[in-house]
Amino acid sequence: MAAISREEVAHLARLSRLAVTEQELDTFAGQLDVILQSVARIGEVAATDIPPTSHSVPLTNVFRDDVVVPGLTQEAALSGAPDAEDGRFRVPRILDEEA
Amino acid sequence: MSDLTKLTAAELAATIASGDVSAVEVAQAHLDRIAAVDERVHAFLHVDTEGALAAARDVDAKRAAGEELGPLAGVPIAVKDVLATKGVPTTAASKILEGWRPPYDATIVERLRAAGTVMLGKTNMDEFAMGSSTEYSAYGPTNNPWDLGRIPGGSGGGSAAAIAAYEAPLAIGTDTGGSIRQPGAVTGTVGAKPTYGGTSRYGLIAFSSSLDTPGPCARTVHDAALLHSVIAGHDPRDSTSIPQAVPDVVAAARLGATGDLTGVKIGLVTEFNGEGAEPGVMAAYRDSIEALTKLGAEVVEISCPHFQYALPAYYLIAPSEASSNLARFDGVRFGLRTGDDGRHSLEEVMSLTREAGFGPEVKRRIILGTYALSSGYYDAYYGQAQKVRTLITRDFTSAFEQVDVLVSPTTPFVAFPFGSRTGDPYQMYLADLFTIPTNLYGGPAISVPCGLSEGLPVGLQIMAPTMADDRMYRVAAALESTVGVLTPPAL
């Protein structure tokens, strides 16, 4: 039985904000199925009492003194934006017309 | 080819410091070499001729003024296109960042500039560092200087190929699952993954944040150590940066070059017994073990029973982190925007932008990561993978109580022809079989050339405990003292 269906891949693509094509769906469904069946081996390790490791070094917050230091200018921050207006990022409309 | 491009970084630095040659002459020699061969190699995505010559002129001016120069002042360097370089195009080999010029430098780039190195340009890679062959670059593959019909490894194929093709004596790579060591092995160059947290990730376009590690690529172990010492060290802007002094890797490389490994205990991983590896690779590996033994090292077998689960664990953890990290590419703050014609909502613009901007391997991994993190499968996949990470760390800890370093082949096979593994992603993923355990553990590892198989380079991987990067440089330099530096065919 397939580990992942074409419909599941389409759903995951929507969640991931990826407008994949019909052909990509066919390709990815087959390839992801092979990958998932291969990686399912990690289920062989009986590890209920094993703590998970998310990072190889302990994670700590990094603090600095509350002192003003130079940062990016507004112009620099906007320099790579696909669109800007009045010194701000310009984004496409968020609400549908009927909303 | 100018003789200057054949010199090592250490030799170039000494020649420039003595005044026998100017930094501008050295930079120009390498720019000329790039102009002569890069159309065939395609190691570079962007060559910064003006920036390189300006930096070289600066070094020459400082020398003329009697200012003290750093150990790599005036030495040209290539930088993987995944590190932010102020004002210089940075794309991570993706269409979604085409034309983007960062307004700031990555910490590593800052340190390279402060050290007086001369940045030649940005090197090709698999898109967002996802791949093992540089075939997933949105701008076309890099060709291996040993055989232009074969892959240069990945994801840092451009950096490794630039070194092998004498276009640069030094390069920066990043290693998430082997992306410095694996290209090093298949191009006959030296590639080192420092301890995770030993080199700053600030300004690195993130793929898998708990694994990504920038590091040096070079033609000799000594050069790699010199570059390592320039870029490593604590960075308060990176919360995972380790606030400890970096071990003296240059001294360790010099000690290893004497060829004496008396008192060094080396472990062979029992589970890396050759299954899935080419016979020629295993033969070169066994020869290098014999060479290390002759240098005085004691060699024993060490079992690391959970290494067999490293590859599947990695291919759940890395895509999961990638699916989160790549959410920032949404067509709002930088890069590509598609579908903004007044007829599509913000959500549709995001989807259309990401569809147009990401290549197939990136999409595949984003979807896989989203799946592994989804509520119904989290415990079975991502949660279990993080537990496997604990078990692999315990294997390493236990091993390093018995030996100083572990060794293995770097890759299971030599450079393969283009297209031979792209149809089956899992077959491609096997290229990183031997390199991935150390990324999950966080320790350092280096690949050093150890011979040829069918006329193509083979690498030996040396793994060391966390923050003991010096140990691997000592053993690598010792092997290099007997194997020598590999020379690719003339281009």
Side-chain angles (χ1 to χ4, degrees):
Chain A
M1 186 182 141
I4 188 166
S5 68
R6 191 178 185 280
E7 289 67 35
E8 278 181 291
V9 175
H11 178 59
L12 291 164
R14 277 194 298 278
L15 291 177
S16 313
R17 302 283 186 268
L18 282 171
V20 292
T21 63
E22 291 295 313
Q23 191 185 348
E24 281 177 324
L25 272 183
D26 289 336
T27 308
F28 290 160
Q31 290 175 334
L32 287 167
D33 191 50
V34 171
I35 294 168
L36 283 172
Q37 297 206 24
S38 302
V39 301
R41 289 180 54 234
I42 62 158
E44 295 170 8
V45 185
T48 50
D49 59 337
I50 304 295
T53 298
S54 68
H55 265 78
S56 60
V57 294
L59 294 181
T60 53
N61 274 335
V62 174
F63 297 102
R64 63 172 170 81
D65 292 336
D66 190 12
V67 177
V68 176
V69 294
L72 294 181
T73 62
Q74 187 182 46
E75 187 185 5
L78 291 169
S79 63
D83 203 357
E85 191 175 303
D86 297 333
R88 298 177 175 87
F89 295 100
R90 197 195 73 76
V91 301
R93 63 189 165 85
I94 293 171
L95 302 174
D96 291 334
E97 282 179 4
E98 60 270 23
Chain B
M1 178 166 55
S2 161
D3 284 347
L4 289 175
T5 60
K6 292 181 186 168
L7 298 181
T8 66
E11 290 166 342
L12 284 170
T15 309
I16 292 166
S18 70
D20 288 346
V21 66
S22 72
V24 167
E25 287 174 281
V26 171
Q28 191 60 57
H30 286 86
L31 291 167
D32 291 346
R33 175 69 176 167
I34 292 168
V37 304
D38 206 54
E39 196 177 339
R40 283 172 284 154
V41 179
H42 194 218
F44 284 86
L45 290 178
H46 176 77
V47 179
D48 186 16
T49 302
E50 285 181 22
L53 291 173
R57 279 194 293 271
D58 192 40
V59 170
D60 288 336
K62 282 181 176 164
R63 188 187 168 279
E67 289 185 36
E68 195 176 334
L69 300 177
L72 289 176
V75 177
I77 188 163
V79 175
K80 189 175 180 181
D81 201 32
V82 73
L83 283 163
T85 44
K86 188 175 182 178
V88 177
T90 302
T91 66
S94 180
K95 291 286 181 193
I96 210 161
L97 277 175
E98 188 164 10
W100 184 54
R101 292 174 186 259
Y104 70 105
D105 276 331
T107 294
I108 282 186
V109 174
E110 272 182 1
R111 290 181 181 179
L112 291 173
R113 293 193 200 279
T117 63
V118 172
M119 191 179 78
L120 297 168
K122 308 296 289 294
T123 54
N124 201 7
M125 55 184 282
D126 284 299
E127 185 177 0
F128 286 106
M130 297 179 191
S132 305
S133 65
T134 316
E135 290 170 288
Y136 291 123
S137 166
Y139 303 99
T142 295
N143 304 315
N144 192 324
W146 285 80
D147 178 343
L148 296 175
R150 291 176 186 265
I151 60 106
S155 65
S159 288
I163 301 289
Y166 298 96
E167 294 174 270
L170 296 174
I172 295 290
T174 60
D175 195 310
T176 306
S179 291
I180 295 175
R181 291 161 285 159
Q182 190 255 35
V186 301
T187 61
T189 58
V190 177
K193 182 197 98 68
T195 294
Y196 175 85
T199 46
S200 171
R201 290 185 299 105
Y202 178 81
L204 166 65
I205 298 172
F207 161 18
S208 182
S209 308
S210 78
L211 304 167
D212 297 338
T213 311
C217 314
R219 285 195 291 273
T220 69
V221 174
H222 183 224
D223 278 2
L226 285 169
L227 181 53
H228 188 128
S229 67
V230 164
I231 61 172
H234 181 241
D235 178 9
R237 293 185 292 191
D238 173 359
S239 64
T240 55
S241 175
I242 299 174
Q244 281 181 31
V246 179
D248 192 342
V249 292
V250 177
R254 288 189 180 126
L255 175 63
T258 63
D260 181 9
L261 288 179
T262 307
V264 175
K265 206 165 176 182
I266 294 175
L268 313 182
V269 180
T270 307
E271 285 72 19
F272 289 163
N273 56 10
E275 194 180 337
E278 289 176 354
V281 168
M282 293 309 290
Y285 168 62
R286 282 190 290 270
D287 288 348
S288 58
I289 300 305
E290 200 177 315
L292 293 171
T293 308
K294 283 183 181 163
L295 296 176
E298 182 187 351
V299 176
V300 296
E301 280 218 10
I302 297 283
S303 177
C304 297
H306 300 98
F307 278 21
Q308 61 177 306
Y309 299 103
L311 190 71
Y314 173 87
Y315 277 102
L316 290 166
I317 292 169
S320 297
E321 294 186 9
S323 69
S324 170
N325 276 326
L326 269 58
R328 73 193 59 171
F329 299 101
D330 54 11
V332 172
R333 284 146 298 166
F334 41 73
L336 184 73
R337 180 184 290 180
T338 302
D340 186 15
D341 52 9
R343 292 185 292 116
H344 295 97
S345 67
L346 177 63
E347 191 174 311
E348 288 167 341
V349 171
M350 281 185 192
S351 294
L352 291 167
T353 297
R354 289 160 65 81
E355 161 62 11
F358 289 145
E361 183 62 24
V362 174
K363 290 175 190 166
R364 197 155 43 230
R365 294 201 198 196
I366 288 174
I367 294 171
L368 177 59
T370 304
Y371 179 80
L373 291 176
S374 60
S375 61
Y377 299 103
Y378 183 93
D379 289 336
Y381 287 114
Y382 185 73
Q384 189 75 0
Q386 299 286 44
K387 289 179 178 178
V388 168
R389 193 168 182 177
T390 304
L391 294 170
I392 287 168
T393 299
R394 289 179 182 176
D395 279 357
F396 270 112
T397 305
S398 167
F400 290 134
E401 285 168 0
Q402 302 166 69
V403 295
D404 296 303
V405 295
L406 291 170
V407 299
S408 76
T410 308
T411 58
F413 27 75
V414 294
F416 48 84
F418 286 109
S420 58
R421 288 178 183 264
T422 44
D424 182 345
Y426 203 76
Q427 283 301 309
M428 181 75 88
Y429 296 170
L430 288 173
D432 298 332
L433 182 68
F434 299 137
T435 51
I436 280 173
T438 210
N439 293 88
L440 295 172
Y441 159 60
I446 192 169
S447 178
V448 59
C450 70
L452 298 174
S453 169
E454 299 171 27
L456 294 166
V458 178
L460 178 79
Q461 176 179 228
I462 303 154
M463 299 167 268
T466 298
M467 290 306 277
D469 304 49
D470 47 344
R471 287 192 204 174
M472 68 184 193
Y473 276 102
R474 181 182 174 191
V475 177
L479 183 68
E480 186 183 66
S481 73
T482 61
V483 172
V485 175
L486 300 184
T487 304
L491 282 168

